[in-house]
Amino acid sequence: MTHAPILQVEDLAKTFTLHTQGGVQLPVFDNVSFTVSPGECVVLSGPSGSGKSTLLRSLFANYLPDAGHIKVRHAGGWVDMVTAEPREILAVRRETMGYVSQFLRVIPRVPTLEIVAEPLLAQGVTRDEAEARARALLARLALPERLWSVPPATFSGGEQQRVNIARSFIRAFPILLLDEPTASLDQANRETVVALIIEAREAGTAIVAICHDAPVRDAIATSLFDVTEFAAAA
Amino acid sequence: MGVSEPLLTADGVTKLYPGGRVGCRDVSFNLYPGEVLGIVGESGSGKSTLLNCLSAKMEPTAGSISFNTRTSGLTDIFQLSEPERRLLMRTDWGIVHQNPRDGLRMGVSAGGNVGERLMAIGARHYGNIRQEALDWLTRVEIAEDRIDDRPRDFSGGMQQRLQIARILVSNPRLVFMDEPTGGLDVSVQARLLDLLRGLVRSLGLAAVVVTHDLAVVRLLADRLMVMKDGEVVESGLTDQVLDDPHHPYTQLLVSAVLQV
């Protein structure tokens, strides 16, 4: 079973120039090309510092590459995340591409349940249904019920990570970018998250992930992409 | 009006002060409905001059600014007659001043401050006006029983929220904000930002927010323009400009922020 790609990376290059450090150049990668189709999970491999996070953040347009294209199938056409207008990128992030980072970055003082339900509310799902689905997902991720009405600012790393996961998996994105989604989780929670990722993949989500944990990687990956092969010359 | 039509366009906006001092130079952008544009830069970078031009308080020396009016599409705001421009400012536009005293009538009750703007656009029924004022006071988290109090008896944060209610009651499509959280305690700032963010998103407002506070734009703005010496040195998606700044000045600005 093969699908046409939903994400096409072509000849991507990224170098950081640090003007505050006398213009030091930090080349990261060069000539990166790959495609991801619905139902595929490409895990980026390579040691720390090899540019995996820089590549993943570039795909989300959080970093701006110096050359190349990141073409995303969106709303019946293609959007190049390298050259698109901010409002087009925001539309892609709203409808097509989700990003799960290691860190929860949310508005202060908003309760956990609200944070998790919010993506559904934004899609026009009724409040009752959105909250019911948020409760079900938080329960599946074993986040204690007494925490649901509390803002996650004071939660432990693992608890915040599960809020982050819940918020990202409550709705189906055509493309998901995962940066160490199981990093600070215990064994049981890690298994739950792996099951969520596999369910999303089998439902047709195209996934690009960074994942150092070998058993998790083996469970979710349909292919590996070695970033070190594309290291830019210093 | 289609979503693809800009609400506000600036084309080569330049303001020179007497003696040739540059206020701002050659600023161009399109702002779309529902989009929030942040303008950052330090004091003297030209961001306030630009905001004054955009909001029709000051005519630029060169370049043009057009607003998509309900009746005649994109129109140069300085080609409008004075009454037309004033009508625009009372209805489709709102300006949140840094100092609430510039946006409020301090001697008039809170309800009066909100109702006044409704009356300016033709509302006459006292009961309706009072009810609408009450609704808005509640939405900006001001207790109902303060409706007859004067803003001079309010705290700074409450005055700022009242100013916001006064503006939003006329259902504007574009809001200009000049350092909206300036001069407030940090905890009050956070609450005001939460409120602004919720209102901007739920009402689909377009906004231009001028500030020197990067945390404010991170939370409120979709996109960012960084100004230095009157010119835009970098612009783009807010998180991209803040997390991967390219211009030396932006890198300096971002690296100067204390991490807490």
Side-chain angles (χ1 to χ4, degrees):
Chain A
M1 185 183 72
T2 50
H3 290 280
I6 185 170
L7 176 65
Q8 288 186 296
V9 178
E10 296 169 8
D11 302 321
L12 209 63
K14 176 70 181 168
T15 294
F16 289 104
T17 305
L18 307 182
H19 294 286
T20 52
Q21 308 293 322
V24 170
Q25 302 254 314
L26 295 179
V28 187
F29 50 72
D30 204 358
N31 285 314
V32 170
S33 299
F34 64 97
T35 64
V36 191
S37 297
E40 285 184 345
C41 176
V42 175
V43 173
L44 306 179
S45 62
S48 294
S50 58
K52 303 184 297 294
S53 286
T54 299
L55 177 55
L56 202 68
R57 283 166 171 254
S58 298
L59 299 182
F60 198 57
N62 179 229
Y63 286 175
L64 181 66
D66 304 305
H69 304 283
I70 298 163
K71 292 177 183 165
V72 173
R73 208 160 64 203
H74 167 78
W78 290 92
V79 174
D80 185 347
M81 299 294 273
V82 180
T83 56
E85 290 290 318
R87 62 199 186 101
E88 296 175 295
I89 293 170
L90 292 172
V92 168
R93 290 179 178 181
R94 237 179 351 255
E95 294 156 32
T96 303
M97 187 187 266
Y99 182 92
V100 184
S101 72
Q102 297 172 57
F103 309 102
L104 185 66
R105 188 165 214 165
V106 289
I107 329 138
R109 303 191 305 134
V110 178
T112 296
L113 190 68
E114 182 79 25
I115 288 170
V116 176
E118 200 263 343
L120 287 179
L121 294 172
Q123 284 187 313
V125 174
T126 63
R127 179 161 285 275
D128 281 353
E129 193 194 331
E131 289 191 357
R133 283 167 64 183
R135 279 195 198 92
L137 195 49
L138 287 170
R140 186 173 172 193
L141 286 159
L143 193 80
E145 194 168 342
R146 65 190 154 75
L147 297 180
W148 296 359
S149 58
V150 181
T154 56
F155 290 9
S156 72
E159 285 163 351
Q160 290 197 4
Q161 178 126 9
R162 278 176 281 157
V163 175
N164 222 2
I165 301 262
R167 179 178 164 84
S168 308
F169 280 84
I170 193 156
R171 47 154 306 181
F173 277 109
I175 302 171
L176 261 185
L177 310 176
L178 310 175
D179 189 353
E180 295 285 5
T182 60
S184 37
L185 300 181
D186 61 28
Q187 182 63 31
N189 285 314
R190 197 175 306 147
E191 281 167 14
T192 307
V193 172
V194 167
L196 280 171
I197 295 171
I198 292 173
E199 280 167 30
R201 191 190 73 199
E202 288 178 345
T205 296
I207 299 170
V208 182
I210 296 172
C211 174
H212 282 111
D213 187 79
V216 172
R217 187 175 59 216
D218 294 345
I220 65 173
T222 57
S223 65
L224 297 182
F225 184 81
D226 187 354
V227 180
T228 50
E229 289 175 27
F230 300 88
Chain B
M1 191 181 70
V3 188
S4 52
E5 282 247 292
L7 189 62
L8 182 77
T9 70
D11 186 16
V13 173
T14 299
K15 175 70 187 177
L16 302 175
Y17 290 109
R21 194 165 59 80
V22 176
C24 60
R25 196 201 304 270
D26 199 21
V27 178
S28 301
F29 66 88
N30 289 327
L31 184 74
Y32 290 85
E35 207 173 29
V36 179
L37 169 68
I39 303 175
V40 295
E42 58 200 22
S43 315
S45 61
K47 55 192 197 311
S48 297
T49 299
L50 178 61
L51 189 76
N52 284 336
C53 290
L54 296 175
S55 58
K57 275 198 241 168
M58 192 188 266
E59 190 161 356
T61 316
S64 67
I65 296 158
S66 301
F67 181 74
N68 207 326
T69 66
R70 289 175 205 250
T71 47
S72 39
L74 275 174
T75 311
D76 189 324
I77 56 172
F78 292 100
Q79 301 297 318
L80 292 170
S81 67
E82 189 56 37
E84 285 174 320
R85 196 153 58 231
R86 275 207 303 272
L87 181 67
L88 198 65
M89 290 170 120
R90 280 202 304 266
T91 55
D92 273 349
W93 289 9
I95 300 176
V96 179
H97 298 269
Q98 173 173 6
N99 188 339
R101 285 166 194 282
D102 296 333
L104 291 173
R105 300 229 324 218
M106 302 306 281
V108 174
S109 72
N113 262 287
V114 178
E116 191 179 53
R117 187 148 151 127
L118 275 178
M119 286 165 70
I121 55 172
R124 286 294 175 264
H125 186 283
Y126 176 78
N128 291 350
I129 292 171
R130 190 172 169 89
Q131 188 52 49
E132 187 124 359
L134 255 181
D135 285 350
W136 271 101
L137 290 181
T138 313
R139 288 178 82 165
V140 299
E141 304 171 15
I142 293 174
E144 289 191 15
D145 62 7
R146 302 300 301 270
I147 187 170
D148 295 317
D149 293 348
R150 290 173 191 182
R152 69 162 70 104
D153 301 327
F154 286 3
S155 67
M158 274 176 80
Q159 288 178 355
Q160 199 57 300
R161 295 200 301 276
L162 179 61
Q163 190 189 185
I164 289 161
R166 174 179 161 100
I167 286 155
L168 296 184
V169 72
S170 73
N171 205 8
R173 291 189 293 155
L174 175 59
V175 176
F176 299 99
M177 303 186 209
D178 187 4
E179 300 281 4
T181 59
L184 298 176
D185 290 338
V186 174
S187 60
V188 178
Q189 276 188 19
R191 185 169 171 206
L192 185 72
L193 278 177
D194 276 6
L195 179 78
L196 276 176
R197 189 178 188 281
L199 289 171
V200 164
R201 297 281 181 260
S202 65
L203 301 172
L205 287 177
V208 178
V209 185
V210 162
T211 180
H212 68 278
D213 187 339
L214 299 183
V216 169
V217 286
R218 165 109 46 196
L219 211 57
L220 281 182
D222 299 317
R223 44 190 272 244
L224 208 55
M225 294 198 314
V226 182
M227 291 189 74
K228 182 180 184 343
D229 300 333
E231 294 184 19
V232 175
V233 295
E234 184 160 1
S235 64
L237 192 69
T238 299
D239 61 278
Q240 192 179 83
V241 172
L242 294 180
D243 294 339
D244 185 17
H246 279 59
H247 190 276
Y249 177 70
T250 317
Q251 291 189 356
L252 190 67
L253 206 63
V254 170
S255 68
V257 175
L258 295 171
Q259 301 289 325
V260 288

